[in-house]
Amino acid sequence: MFEDNQTMVSEFILLGFQHLHNFKVPFFAFLTLIYAITIAGNLLIISLVSSSEKLHSPMYIFLSHLSLCDIVISTNVTPNTLKVILQGNTTMSFLSCITQLYFFGATAIMECCLLTVMSYDRYLAICHPLHYTSIMNARFPHYLVICAWMIGFGQALVTHTFVLHLQFCGPNVIDHFFCDLGPILELSCSDILVIQIDVSVVAIVMAFSQMLFIIITYIFIFNSILHISSIKERKKVFSTCSSHLCVVCIYYGTLITLYVAPSRGYSFNLNKILSLINSSITPLFNPIIYSLRNKEIVAAYNKLISNMLLKMKG
């Protein structure tokens, strides 16, 4: 199967969390609960947006796709992580490991793109309200979403192609709980310069430039909010973008801490904890933040529950 790649390693051993001891079962239960709430919460947002006519605006269309992206991120990593926790370590075939790596990279890029699109949507709504309807018409939001998914899967495919051409001569032990790019490259006996260049370009174009774009849009947004004379109206306008701003800060905060901040002096365990937060905990924040801070989401949820109760009584 791997002769075309000259790959000698047919499987990888994931060490996971080696020092849990008596905390293995509580940690497994905690992560299972987090995963269940993540899936249920994000599915709820998708259901509310698709079923409620009041939530058929561009902002909520983007939100539903962000929820779908979070479901893919969490499902790609968490179930295998639970297996690693129970077994102490586990093996993954070369194909399974590379597939997990591909979806992890694709969804990370898609999340960046969707957050950028959402910031552009808020910028138009607050800074250019008269032009908002004409720009964000019925089709344009869907084009932006399609572009985000295509960019994510397309760019990840480029990196994935480079990885498939690497040679793995052994060892095959990964000191991590999932197949991340860094640990995999450390095991390769090929020249990884091309992949390093590709990853650097992606980091600059897909992460840093989009984060810069979000910062610039929010500078304009805050400037527009400050020019609103009414304090009540100012709070109302700010509330429309505060949830998105919280999600952006959490997502990019964990991303910067994990991949951009200097790793010298970091223990492997700290790196694993940061990766766990990024892949399993962060997807939980999206439904929680939007559920607590968004009145329209809460109203749609209450209406859904009321309709369900009426059907049960009928």
Side-chain angles (χ1 to χ4, degrees):
M1 181 185 232
F2 307 107
E3 289 178 4
D4 293 337
N5 306 339
Q6 296 179 309
T7 305
M8 301 179 193
V9 173
S10 60
E11 63 181 18
F12 293 104
I13 300 173
L14 298 174
L15 295 182
F17 302 90
Q18 297 172 281
H19 306 291
L20 289 176
H21 303 302
N22 295 333
F23 293 98
K24 181 182 292 186
V25 174
F27 186 51
F28 176 86
F30 169 74
L31 202 58
T32 302
L33 179 63
I34 291 294
Y35 178 62
I37 297 174
T38 299
I39 300 301
N42 283 293
L43 282 176
L44 178 62
I45 286 182
I46 294 172
S47 300
L48 290 175
V49 172
S50 61
S51 61
S52 176
E53 291 184 3
K54 291 184 178 180
L55 300 182
H56 286 176
S57 63
M59 179 174 70
Y60 294 110
I61 291 172
F62 300 142
L63 175 60
S64 64
H65 283 272
L66 186 66
S67 292
L68 179 58
C69 188
D70 283 334
I71 289 173
V72 176
I73 291 173
S74 187
T75 302
N76 182 47
V77 175
T78 306
N80 192 71
T81 302
L82 294 172
K83 181 181 177 183
V84 173
I85 292 171
L86 280 184
Q87 296 183 351
N89 60 67
T90 189
T91 59
M92 285 188 73
S93 67
F94 181 86
L95 183 60
S96 297
C97 190
I98 298 303
T99 301
Q100 185 182 59
L101 174 65
Y102 172 68
F103 278 98
F104 181 76
T107 48
I109 295 171
M110 282 187 292
E111 186 109 358
C112 290
C113 292
L114 288 170
L115 290 175
T116 302
V117 166
M118 292 174 77
S119 71
Y120 177 64
D121 174 72
R122 292 299 83 206
Y123 163 76
L124 287 177
I126 295 172
C127 300
H128 301 282
L130 298 178
H131 301 286
Y132 179 78
T133 306
S134 60
I135 296 174
M136 284 291 175
N137 52 44
R139 294 182 179 181
F140 190 54
H142 296 285
Y143 290 151
L144 291 176
V145 166
I146 291 170
C147 284
W149 285 89
M150 289 179 65
I151 290 171
F153 279 104
Q155 180 54 56
L157 184 61
V158 175
T159 305
H160 189 258
T161 302
F162 289 137
V163 173
L164 286 173
H165 284 84
L166 293 178
Q167 299 177 30
F168 295 92
C169 313
N172 65 337
V173 178
I174 298 177
D175 190 10
H176 215 316
F177 59 88
F178 76 104
C179 291
D180 201 2
L181 182 61
I184 290 177
L185 293 182
E186 289 180 4
L187 298 181
S188 174
C189 50
S190 302
D191 184 5
I192 60 173
L193 179 61
V194 175
I195 297 182
Q196 289 175 329
I197 293 173
D198 173 70
V199 171
S200 299
V201 171
V202 172
I204 294 171
V205 176
M206 294 297 170
F208 179 75
S209 65
Q210 294 197 69
M211 184 178 69
L212 185 62
F213 178 85
I214 293 173
I215 292 172
I216 293 172
T217 57
Y218 269 99
I219 289 174
F220 283 105
I221 288 171
F222 290 148
N223 184 56
S224 295
I225 292 174
L226 290 174
H227 281 81
I228 299 174
S229 56
S230 171
I231 296 177
K232 185 178 180 180
E233 189 66 24
R234 192 184 300 173
K235 289 181 178 179
K236 182 180 178 182
V237 173
F238 180 74
S239 66
T240 63
C241 61
S242 58
S243 298
H244 172 256
L245 185 59
C246 288
V247 172
V248 167
C249 291
I250 292 170
Y251 181 75
Y252 276 102
T254 55
L255 211 62
I256 290 170
T257 304
L258 182 59
Y259 293 108
V260 179
S263 59
R264 185 172 295 178
Y266 279 12
S267 67
F268 284 114
N269 287 332
L270 178 58
N271 190 269
K272 290 175 187 176
I273 292 171
L274 292 173
S275 296
L276 185 68
I277 293 172
N278 184 55
S279 61
S280 300
I281 309 298
T282 301
L284 173 66
F285 292 142
N286 179 24
I288 290 178
I289 290 173
Y290 276 96
S291 297
L292 294 176
R293 300 184 63 87
N294 194 290
K295 293 180 180 179
E296 291 179 321
I297 290 286
V298 173
Y301 173 75
N302 290 333
K303 184 178 179 180
L304 178 66
I305 296 298
S306 298
N307 291 337
M308 290 176 62
L309 290 175
L310 287 173
K311 288 181 180 179
M312 290 174 65
K313 290 180 180 179

